[in-house]
Amino acid sequence: ETGVTQSPTHLIKTRGQQVTLRCSSQSGHNTVSWYQQALGQGPQFIFQYYREEENGRGNFPPRFSGLQFPNYSSELNVNALELDDSALYLCASSLASAETQYFGPGTRLLVL
Amino acid sequence: RKEVEQDPGPFNVPEGATVAFNCTYSNSASQSFFWYRQDCRKEPKLLMSVYSSGNEDGRFTAQLNRASQYISLLIRDSKLSDSATYLCVVNCNAGGTSYGKLTFGQGTILTVHP
């Protein structure tokens, strides 16, 4: 196992609601990246946090936001949920921002 | 054009077969290359990194051609347990910034049957 954990494992929300997903990085890793994986697609990069600062962002709207805490765990927040936000949300941790990334088991979000 | 393109398959092969997956990428500034494996309803797991000199790990061989922006994965003597989706992944430290953004292909589905 990678040592990366995510919670919750599954979540059901309705359109317009807000959601917070959590990720604990592998011990010693200071970088967390978040990805969205729609059914049948590869993961898409949302953003990365390095030492508590956002360190790069993909093509996602501002209603996708995040945080990284001093212990390097991280949160992904999504506001005003849309049906298309239904996906597997993956976080990955790495020792430094450019090193190999190790994925957690993901949170499966369903928006109704 | 997608940044990383793969043939989605599916590839259906018998046990013992040799199968090859190909991938192309569009960003010539890409710096690191990987193959990840993803089992159904699970997270992606690193299979191997890919180097210009080519690298081998048991039954798996990966190749990178930077000039053609082409990556390949060869699996020899396929096992039932090799059935999974194989993701071609490119890491680009864009524009001099320090971060590494993993860009994934769509994935190639492999089913190995008895």
Side-chain angles (χ1 to χ4, degrees):
Chain A
E1 299 300 327
T2 63
V4 181
T5 62
Q6 290 186 244
S7 63
T9 56
H10 298 80
L11 203 52
I12 300 175
K13 292 284 189 179
T14 56
R15 271 187 309 173
Q17 285 189 308
Q18 178 266 344
V19 69
T20 297
L21 310 182
R22 296 178 175 83
C23 172
S24 292
S25 58
Q26 188 177 127
S27 177
H29 284 188
N30 57 14
T31 304
V32 172
S33 305
W34 286 93
Y35 295 82
Q36 180 195 66
Q37 187 175 23
L39 199 61
Q41 301 297 317
Q44 299 291 311
F45 176 76
I46 303 174
F47 43 57
Q48 183 182 86
Y49 279 84
Y50 173 61
R51 293 186 174 181
E52 303 180 56
E53 296 287 332
E54 187 179 290
N55 188 41
R57 188 178 182 94
N59 189 26
F60 279 81
R63 59 190 186 85
F64 286 78
S65 63
L67 284 174
Q68 188 177 32
F69 300 98
N71 67 355
Y72 303 130
S73 65
S74 178
E75 286 183 355
L76 164 65
N77 298 291
V78 187
N79 292 323
L81 284 166
E82 301 177 1
L83 297 180
D84 285 349
D85 295 334
S86 295
L88 178 66
Y89 288 85
L90 295 159
C91 80
S93 78
S94 53
L95 184 55
S97 63
E99 295 297 321
T100 304
Q101 297 179 20
Y102 297 92
F103 285 84
T107 293
R108 202 165 294 277
L109 173 65
L110 177 62
V111 182
L112 302 175
Chain B
R1 182 185 173 191
K2 291 182 181 178
E3 290 186 64
V4 179
E5 295 207 55
Q6 293 181 250
D7 178 352
F11 286 65
N12 292 292
V13 303
E15 274 186 290
T18 295
V19 62
F21 304 139
N22 303 315
C23 167
T24 58
Y25 62 95
S26 61
N27 189 342
S28 60
S30 300
Q31 298 186 353
S32 308
F33 308 89
F34 309 92
W35 284 99
Y36 276 74
R37 170 198 167 124
Q38 186 171 28
D39 293 294
C40 187
R41 303 186 70 79
K42 298 285 190 179
E43 73 274 22
K45 293 185 177 178
L46 179 66
L47 180 64
M48 57 197 305
S49 300
V50 189
Y51 306 110
S52 297
S53 55
N55 50 302
E56 188 173 311
D57 182 3
R59 298 181 293 108
F60 298 83
T61 300
Q63 291 278 353
L64 166 65
N65 184 321
R66 284 189 182 269
S68 303
Q69 296 180 199
Y70 173 92
I71 305 163
S72 65
L73 176 68
L74 183 76
I75 305 175
R76 292 181 299 278
D77 189 23
S78 298
K79 310 292 185 191
L80 297 177
S81 58
D82 293 335
S83 298
T85 297
Y86 290 83
L87 295 158
C88 175
V89 185
V90 171
N91 188 344
C92 177
N93 290 345
T97 61
S98 61
Y99 82 90
K101 163 193 167 184
L102 291 185
T103 301
F104 286 77
Q106 181 183 358
T108 299
I109 298 171
L110 171 66
T111 301
V112 181
H113 57 83

